[in-house]
Amino acid sequence: MIVRVFFHHGISSTYLANSGIPFFTQSITYQFYLLIPILVIEAYIHRKILKLGIGRSLSIALSTNIFSTLLGGTFFVLLSSSYCCLSYSFPLLPLELMVTLVPMFLMSVLLEAALGHLALKQVDRSQILPSFVRANIFSYIMLETLAIAQLIKGYIEGRG
């Protein structure tokens, strides 16, 4: 009896352990594929606005995105552990991704601009925030488009 209760508790707690992870992780593969065009677009925007060289703008785009992804991802995983029990049914996955991207956009802009202020001492300080806002707008439009495409695809496949 004790083994049975422990085993049952172990299985149900395994399911609950994943319930706090944001649903956007369902599309992590697609987000990874989007990383290359996102980095290219952000580097181009930084190059134009901040007047950086190609190598420097690529390194800024890569380093700030890695930084904001790691820090922001950790924050959202910790924050999302407070809500659980939302259904993993079809319409909620892409809808949750679309909603989650809004605060992630704001956090990315703040984290990346802060890192940009530290790393770009030779650049006009007044241009750093606008560059990161514009770069992230394009990045998050691509991610929102992915979520919308998943929603449409699900309805076409008859899941909704």
Side-chain angles (χ1 to χ4, degrees):
M1 178 70 175
I2 294 174
V3 172
R4 190 171 173 199
V5 170
F6 178 75
F7 183 71
H8 176 69
H9 176 69
I11 290 174
S12 64
S13 65
T14 302
Y15 293 128
L16 290 175
N18 291 327
S19 64
I21 298 175
F23 298 132
F24 69 85
T25 57
Q26 298 292 322
S27 63
I28 198 102
T29 304
Y30 298 113
Q31 291 178 25
F32 180 75
Y33 290 139
L34 281 175
L35 184 60
I36 294 170
I38 284 172
L39 290 174
V40 170
I41 290 169
E42 287 192 15
Y44 177 78
I45 291 170
H46 295 322
R47 183 169 187 252
K48 290 296 181 187
I49 294 175
L50 301 175
K51 305 199 181 356
L52 301 172
I54 293 172
R56 184 72 172 138
S57 61
L58 276 171
S59 71
I60 289 295
L62 180 63
S63 62
T64 56
N65 274 285
I66 289 172
F67 175 72
S68 68
T69 299
L70 291 176
L71 204 58
T74 302
F75 175 75
F76 276 103
V77 166
L78 293 174
L79 180 68
S80 68
S81 65
S82 64
Y83 75 87
C84 72
C85 310
L86 290 177
S87 170
Y88 282 95
S89 62
F90 159 67
L92 289 180
L93 289 171
L95 291 173
E96 203 277 339
L97 174 60
M98 287 188 268
V99 170
T100 304
L101 286 173
V102 174
M104 289 176 69
F105 166 78
L106 297 171
M107 182 174 274
S108 288
V109 168
L110 293 174
L111 291 173
E112 291 177 19
L115 188 60
H117 276 286
L118 295 173
L120 298 167
K121 301 227 185 270
Q122 76 283 7
V123 175
D124 179 12
R125 311 299 267 174
S126 67
Q127 292 301 311
I128 291 176
L129 182 61
S131 181
F132 283 97
V133 168
R134 213 170 275 156
N136 277 285
I137 285 173
F138 283 102
S139 298
Y140 279 86
I141 284 174
M142 291 173 71
L143 293 170
E144 287 286 355
T145 302
L146 168 67
I148 293 167
Q150 287 176 339
L151 188 64
I152 293 169
K153 180 183 173 206
Y155 279 116
I156 290 172
E157 291 174 349
R159 290 187 276 159

